[in-house]
Amino acid sequence: MSATQSRIPATLIPGDGIGPEIMDAVTRILEVLGAPFDWDVQQGGMAGIASAGDPLPQALLDSIRRTRLALKGPLTTPVGGGFRSVNVRLREEFHLYANLRPVRTMVPGGRYEDIDIVLIRENIEGLYVAFEHYIAIGDDPHAVAISSGVNTRAGAERIIRYAFEYALAHGRKKVTVVHKANVLKALTGIFLEVGRDMAREYEGRVAMDDRIVDACAMQLVMNPWQYDVIVTTNLFGDILSDLLSGLVGGLGMAPGANIGEKAAIFEAVHGSAPDIAGKGIANPLALLLAAGLMLKHVGRDDLAQRLQVAIDQVLRVDGVRTADLGGHAKTTDFAAAIIRRIANA
Ligand code: NAI
Ligand code: MG
């Protein structure tokens, strides 16, 4: 295959806050790695409002419609007010129903060793459909707040099948369905019901069990090694994936892939970190690991593997780490260390 033939058009969204800093580090690393992406840079979030008056400008949506592939920095969503979460809108727009969030111990000597868990979060249903409204009483316009969640059998089947197929394809032994069917009997009961039905199809190939979300949270702290693949509804997945990142060093270590039939968008689990934006100290690793997932998604496991080797060497051998991992490296120092390892491999 010639170099031009193997190029893959992809949308690149630097994002807000620490987004541009970590994206710059990641794209420089991908360049040295020889990643095949031809970037179409698009602005979103606050940068989108500034440039086009919309956190999701038409040009950004058109670009993803064309490339069906994006690497995305975090986008700031103003709390309250008129804007729906841009991330939720993107997931809905492209039917990105599966959110894959793997965590693995990469820095030895942390609270837990040998963590290797994949969380698969339903990405477009549940309480995040945000069918919400207030009811006014007297002169209080916000006297009552109401929200309805939606889970469909089709949606539950799609994501739970994705989890079982992921387990099969990646040699994993068990899928745990996490729910709150004891209280939200319809909303999350349907998820458990579908999980139990589908487990029969995979019997003998992938084991299945289930947990109530609060007990799961406790067990993830007490004995996380009992988990392999977790599949859960949107809100629980959001919360548990941050918890999981905490097992392996924090949000700086947690990548995510939003996958659907029409597109795939790769990003860090963390947000725009306004508290450290512009200081040059953000950890680019979560976004870099997301780029690794993106390489695997386009069939370049070879490059993903080389990238992972360089990351492990930098963290374990060179001991170059950003402040969130207890080190002193700046974002650019960390990127330079990775680039050195890739170049000398
Ligand atoms: P956050 O994830 O941005 O930050 C939480 C804490 O983790 C902060 O103390 C931050 O400094 C730290 N942190 C996050 N990423 C880090 C990194 N790479 N290196 C070192 N430290 C890091 O969550 P927060 O503050 O709740 O949200 C900020 C904004 O980001 C909000 O507008 C939110 O809506 C948005 N957000 C966007 C997401 C996305 O685009 N996928 C996901 C989550 C939040
Ligand atoms: Mg989250």
Side-chain angles (χ1 to χ4, degrees), residues 17-265:
I18 60 171
E21 302 163 48
I22 56 175
M23 190 61 88
D24 182 61
V26 168
T27 47
R28 281 190 296 112
I29 292 165
L30 290 178
E31 178 97 37
V32 175
L33 188 66
F37 305 116
D38 275 336
W39 300 118
D40 178 23
V41 179
Q42 294 291 337
Q43 300 301 333
M46 303 307 263
I49 295 177
S51 66
D54 185 346
L56 273 189
Q58 194 59 41
L60 183 155
L61 296 174
D62 289 344
S63 175
I64 298 177
R65 219 162 271 134
R66 185 172 57 77
T67 62
R68 303 162 69 101
L69 188 65
L71 183 63
K72 172 186 154 304
L75 301 178
T76 298
T77 299
V79 176
F83 289 106
R84 280 202 70 199
S85 161
V86 275
N87 295 306
V88 171
R89 276 177 61 199
L90 264 182
R91 290 163 188 168
E92 286 175 355
E93 178 77 28
F94 295 103
H95 302 280
L96 307 173
Y97 64 87
N99 194 329
L100 180 69
R101 295 183 157 184
V103 295
R104 199 165 69 79
T105 304
M106 291 180 204
V107 183
R111 288 198 181 85
Y112 301 87
E113 300 292 346
D114 303 323
I115 299 291
D116 182 7
I117 302 173
V118 177
L119 183 134
I120 295 171
R121 161 185 173 190
E122 200 294 316
N123 217 20
I124 43 185
E125 298 196 330
L127 280 163
Y128 282 23
V129 298
F131 291 163
E132 300 200 290
H133 63 279
Y134 293 106
I135 296 175
I137 297 179
D139 54 9
D140 181 357
H142 288 183
V144 182
I146 296 184
S147 183
S148 314
V150 176
N151 281 324
T152 63
R153 181 181 298 283
E157 282 174 353
R158 193 170 50 185
I159 192 70
I160 294 170
R161 184 169 303 286
Y162 184 93
F164 275 106
E165 289 296 324
Y166 180 94
L168 273 181
H170 294 84
R172 293 189 172 256
K173 305 266 177 297
K174 186 176 71 172
V175 170
T176 302
V177 175
V178 174
H179 60 88
K180 187 74 188 179
N182 52 329
V183 176
L184 301 172
K185 288 179 199 255
L187 186 67
T188 83
I190 194 173
F191 208 80
L192 177 60
E193 184 181 311
V194 168
R196 286 190 172 145
D197 285 348
M198 204 166 284
R200 281 190 273 280
E201 245 183 81
Y202 289 86
E203 213 173 328
R205 295 184 292 162
V206 182
M208 176 270 191
D209 62 4
D210 70 271
R211 289 286 190 290
I212 295 174
V213 63
D214 36 358
C216 176
M218 177 275 292
Q219 290 175 343
L220 279 170
V221 174
M222 300 291 287
N223 175 19
W225 299 277
Q226 65 189 288
Y227 290 101
D228 189 353
V229 175
I230 293 174
V231 62
T232 189
T233 52
N234 206 339
L235 172 64
F236 299 159
D238 190 3
I239 298 167
L240 291 181
S241 52
D242 275 33
L243 191 163
L244 281 174
S245 81
L247 301 178
V248 297
L251 282 170
M253 305 295 296
N258 300 279
I259 309 230
E261 266 125 43
K262 296 182 181 168
I265 301 181

